[in-house]
Amino acid sequence: MRNNILWLIGAGLAIIQILLGNSMVFFGVSSILFYFHFILAVLILIVCIYGIRVTKEVRRRIVLGNLFLLIVTSIIGGIYTLYPNIYLLLFHLFLALGIVSNFSVLYGMDRD
């Protein structure tokens, strides 16, 4: 039961992160929004690290995949801030959608 809440928190944070990122694309980047976007990424990182500690086998591999996606997405987001490019932005978004998807799969697997 406890893991269900963890996966919902992770998915919720990721959805908020995507919405915030989209608002920065459409309305412009401000430093406050950018830092909030960064803080949400750190919170998702904490959820992933905690998830690795409390899961086993298949779920653990999915959480490790999420951790990998989060790291790659963060690197691409950092590159995008230096070299704005629509293709980097779309790749960043699709990887972020993968993070939400993995949290949703984890929730479905742990739902009893």
Side-chain angles (χ1 to χ4, degrees), residues 49-112:
I49 291 172
Y50 182 73
I52 290 169
R53 295 185 62 169
V54 298
T55 58
K56 296 178 184 172
E57 298 174 8
V58 174
R59 290 170 182 81
R60 185 181 204 133
R61 282 184 278 164
I62 294 172
V63 177
L64 284 170
N66 246 7
L67 182 63
F68 174 76
L69 280 174
L70 183 65
I71 291 169
V72 172
T73 304
S74 299
I75 291 169
I76 291 172
I79 293 171
Y80 175 78
T81 60
L82 298 174
Y83 308 105
N85 181 337
I86 189 67
Y87 299 112
L88 284 175
L89 189 63
L90 286 172
F91 193 54
H92 183 71
L93 173 64
F94 292 146
L95 289 175
L97 290 172
I99 294 170
V100 174
S101 174
N102 282 346
F103 278 127
S104 300
V105 168
L106 285 165
Y107 175 73
M109 289 173 74
D110 281 344
R111 192 166 171 251
D112 292 329

